[in-house]
Amino acid sequence: MSDENAPWLIAGLGNPGPEYAMNRHNVGFMVADLLARRMGAKFKRATKGQAQVVEGRIGPPGPANRRVILAKPMSYMNVSGGPVTALRDFYKVPTDRIVAVHDELDIDYGVLRLKLGGGDNGHNGLKSMTKAMGPGYHRVRFGIGRPPGRMQVADFVLKDFSSAERKELDYFVDRAADAVEALVTEGLERAQSSYNS
């Protein structure tokens, strides 16, 4: 088990640059940005690793209050593992206190699933993280659904959310941020019972 005083590292996965900002693949960045706003902080370039970072606390005052490092790897999705591992080493974060927030094709749009460990399900960001540090980190999986018709997966994830999806996007991102906070302050089982729909 990890040290109770160790910080949590929450990595929102995505691609850097304004052209990717509203892509389905960037929902991890959207959740990280919202968590930073809730903490009243702005992302800054990390001294270690190629990522933007916010340090702060999540949770109510008292024993459930947790020190967290929010991170957005600036390396592009497919090589997220390097920056996350560099931050893990710099901040001395146990692997079971790392949370990857990412898009998930095999779940309907807006549905959340929280879990510890497991495979990468073809997700290149997770593949890179697992190769760098093993599979023993948490995942907050944000459903984006499957591509319509014969659209290629790569094209689908790099497209912006549709206008219909955008109507509910803020609500779903807000709920995902709540799920991350619950995972960090209440533990996986309680967070799963509240947010795994």
Side-chain angles (χ1 to χ4, degrees):
M1 281 306 288
S2 59
D3 169 13
E4 270 304 302
N5 298 313
W8 284 76
L9 173 57
I10 300 161
L13 302 188
N15 287 310
E19 68 273 32
Y20 298 108
M22 291 305 295
N23 286 181
R24 293 181 177 93
H25 223 18
N26 268 43
V27 76
F29 274 18
M30 296 173 199
V31 174
D33 285 336
L34 177 56
L35 286 166
R37 286 198 300 277
R38 288 180 179 184
M39 289 160 60
K42 282 191 165 33
F43 277 98
K44 60 183 190 293
R45 179 71 68 178
T47 50
K48 292 280 177 197
Q50 204 181 353
Q52 289 182 352
V53 174
V54 165
E55 294 181 58
R57 302 192 79 82
I58 282 179
N65 191 264
R66 300 280 186 258
R67 182 174 159 231
V68 297
I69 295 98
L70 287 177
K72 295 194 299 184
M74 293 284 116
S75 57
Y76 290 98
M77 178 70 84
N78 297 0
V79 286
S80 301
V84 176
T85 304
L87 291 169
R88 175 198 69 179
D89 296 346
F90 180 70
Y91 288 103
K92 300 182 173 47
V93 180
T95 303
D96 67 352
R97 287 202 169 203
I98 296 172
V99 183
V101 185
H102 64 91
D103 57 306
E104 179 64 62
L105 285 161
D106 288 335
I107 304 175
D108 289 340
Y109 174 59
V111 172
L112 296 175
R113 293 271 191 282
L114 285 69
K115 69 177 200 170
L116 174 63
D120 57 56
N121 212 14
H123 191 288
N124 289 328
L126 297 182
K127 204 173 284 184
S128 176
M129 282 183 60
T130 298
K131 186 176 177 188
M133 67 179 82
Y137 54 91
H138 288 87
R139 299 101 192 274
V140 173
R141 304 156 72 208
F142 186 113
I144 60 169
R146 301 292 306 181
R150 296 195 171 145
M151 186 187 288
Q152 294 297 310
V153 164
D155 295 332
F156 180 69
V157 299
L158 293 175
K159 279 205 177 346
D160 287 0
F161 284 101
S162 69
S163 54
E165 287 169 334
R166 278 201 297 272
K167 288 181 180 141
E168 294 182 294
L169 182 60
D170 286 349
Y171 168 76
F172 288 140
V173 168
D174 195 64
R175 194 164 179 273
D178 290 346
V180 171
E181 290 182 348
L183 170 62
V184 168
T185 59
E186 299 172 21
L188 179 61
E189 282 185 26
R190 286 188 68 176
Q192 283 175 325
S193 66
S194 299
Y195 293 97
N196 277 18
S197 33

